[in-house]
Amino acid sequence: MALHKPLPLPLHHRRPNLSPSLQWRTTSRTTRPSRLRIRAAATDDGDRWVAPRADLAEKVLRTIAGATSSPVGQFVASPLTFLHSVDPRIKLVWLLSLVLLPARSHIIMRFGLVMFLALLSTWILPTHVWKDQLGRASLLSGVLFLMLSLGSDGVPPVVQLRTPPPAVVGLPNVPSSLGGYSYLVMKLGPLQFTRKGLSVASTSACLSFIIFQSASLCLTTTTPEQIASALRWFMFPLTLIRVPVAEITLTLLLSLRFISLVFDEVRNVALGIVTRRIHWNQLSIMETVDIFFMYIRRIFKNIFNHAEQISQAMIVRGFPGDSNRHKIYIFLDSSFGIADIISLFCLFGLIGAAVLSEVYIP
């Protein structure tokens, strides 16, 4: 009985003649389980998968669009509060007083003014408005306070005394004061927090917060026409020396009207780029920078287009552009009410408290 030889394997099924060590290594590599990680997240529509980690460029654009969505320097008509009914001339006097008082008042008075404006903002403004405004002003003032408190007099000077110590001369040592004046308030490693740094930092930080928040309160509760008319009322004596008060008032009115257009354009262009779903991971650094430059150019182009449209509308309505050939009428209701009287009394009380704090508080 003849024995049949086994048929040879095909070429693609033959195993090469390898050494035992090399064959073991090959087998171990081929049998190692592969690890494949798929990290994705579903979008709102549910049929597309994107990476869960948001790109930095898209985060920046979304932050810009969210930051410009709240009214900054724009009039908020509702809810109607007592600050809306205060005469705009009294508001301008309040603004001037709040700018001058922190620089010459005591540190307690400065922080008191900050707390007063913060409480007034939470009472007058809507919730989404005062949270945004107070957050930005507090962040800016806090960073300024830390930088100036540790930077103005934070590093002790490396000097050597020119007089010999008392033990060398034969004089008794001067006893240190236990509860008296101390120039050094706190020491943080190599840095020190002194009274000079506290004074400079508190003045700058409180003044910055008061200026930004008081101006924001005034613009939020006063229409641009009222602010322009109040400024024209104060500048009216300058017409005797031929100062173009009407032109200055009109420029201020157009500037206040233009603030909302600028924020709208910044937000709309940013939202337009975000909604295009750009694959930022596939772009190089220069392409990403080019998109941001295109974003800035688009903003300026739209703003200039709005300015041209406003100028053409004014020319069509008969505005010649010469102050000697036209007159601008801005009417102001000068009737004083209870809110105006209360505001004046509060202003005089604030000025008196600032003067007394400077005199009697050490």
Side-chain angles (χ1 to χ4, degrees):
M1 184 175 179
L3 298 176
H4 296 282
K5 295 182 180 181
L7 296 176
L9 294 174
L11 293 177
H12 63 276
H13 284 291
R14 292 182 182 180
R15 183 175 298 177
N17 188 14
L18 302 175
S19 61
S21 61
L22 184 60
Q23 186 175 1
W24 179 82
R25 291 178 184 177
T26 307
T27 306
S28 62
R29 289 180 181 178
T30 55
T31 57
R32 181 179 299 174
S34 59
R35 297 180 180 179
L36 179 61
R37 296 181 179 180
I38 300 176
R39 301 177 62 185
T43 56
D44 296 334
D45 51 5
D47 56 355
R48 187 178 181 182
W49 294 82
V50 295
R53 180 181 58 83
D55 299 285
L56 180 60
E58 188 171 355
K59 282 185 177 181
V60 171
L61 292 174
R62 290 183 181 273
T63 303
I64 293 174
T68 54
S69 60
S70 60
V72 179
Q74 303 178 30
F75 176 69
V76 178
S78 60
L80 188 64
T81 60
F82 84 96
L83 203 57
H84 288 77
S85 59
V86 176
D87 194 275
R89 293 170 291 184
I90 298 178
K91 294 179 184 179
L92 292 183
V93 175
W94 263 95
L95 288 179
L96 181 61
S97 303
L98 291 175
V99 171
L100 297 178
L101 285 179
R104 300 298 302 172
S105 59
H106 196 266
I107 184 173
I108 299 177
M109 196 67 189
R110 298 169 195 162
F111 286 103
L113 289 174
V114 170
M115 294 299 298
F116 168 72
L117 283 177
L119 293 175
L120 187 63
S121 301
T122 56
W123 181 32
I124 297 297
L125 302 178
T127 304
H128 68 282
V129 177
W130 69 259
K131 282 185 177 180
D132 188 42
Q133 292 182 0
L134 288 181
R136 296 174 184 174
S138 301
L139 178 62
L140 177 62
S141 302
V143 172
L144 189 61
F145 182 83
L146 291 176
M147 293 178 60
L148 293 178
S149 60
L150 299 177
S152 59
D153 198 20
V155 181
V158 182
V159 295
Q160 184 178 4
L161 296 177
R162 302 182 63 180
T163 58
V168 177
V169 185
L171 298 176
N173 294 326
V174 180
S176 59
S177 178
L178 299 178
Y181 176 81
S182 177
Y183 182 71
L184 182 64
V185 178
M186 185 186 302
K187 190 171 180 62
L188 302 173
L191 302 177
Q192 60 182 7
F193 186 40
T194 61
R195 291 182 177 270
K196 178 183 177 181
L198 178 61
S199 177
V200 174
S202 63
T203 303
S204 302
C206 293
L207 186 60
S208 301
F209 182 89
I210 289 171
I211 289 175
F212 283 113
Q213 195 58 32
S214 60
S216 179
L217 269 175
C218 182
L219 293 175
T220 307
T221 58
T222 314
T223 59
E225 290 80 7
Q226 291 177 344
I227 296 178
S229 61
L231 183 64
R232 183 180 182 180
W233 187 83
F234 283 110
M235 297 178 62
F236 184 76
L238 298 179
T239 55
L240 300 176
I241 56 176
R242 297 183 180 278
V243 174
V245 176
E247 299 293 333
I248 297 174
T249 306
L250 180 61
T251 304
L252 175 65
L253 180 60
L254 294 177
S255 301
L256 294 176
R257 288 285 187 145
F258 210 73
I259 293 177
S260 60
L261 294 177
V262 173
F263 281 100
D264 289 341
E265 287 300 329
V266 172
R267 181 177 65 256
N268 293 335
V269 178
L271 289 176
I273 297 177
V274 172
T275 53
R276 279 173 172 81
R277 307 291 296 175
I278 298 176
H279 297 283
W280 299 98
N281 295 328
Q282 301 177 3
L283 300 179
S284 62
I285 298 178
M286 295 305 299
E287 290 174 344
T288 305
V289 173
D290 185 61
I291 290 178
F292 275 93
F293 274 108
M294 180 185 65
Y295 167 64
I296 297 174
R297 289 197 302 267
R298 186 66 179 178
I299 291 174
F300 279 100
K301 181 180 179 180
N302 294 346
I303 290 174
F304 289 145
N305 289 336
H306 281 295
E308 185 178 0
Q309 293 174 4
I310 292 174
S311 63
Q312 290 178 358
M314 293 178 65
I315 293 174
V316 168
R317 286 168 174 81
F319 182 77
D322 188 4
S323 60
N324 297 323
R325 296 171 54 189
H326 71 275
K327 291 184 179 180
I328 302 174
Y329 295 96
I330 301 178
F331 298 99
L332 175 64
D333 188 8
S334 59
S335 60
F336 269 63
I338 300 177
D340 302 324
I341 298 174
I342 294 175
S343 300
L344 287 176
F345 274 111
C346 292
L347 178 60
F348 293 147
L350 180 63
I351 296 175
V355 174
L356 292 177
S357 66
E358 186 69 19
V359 174
Y360 291 102
I361 298 179

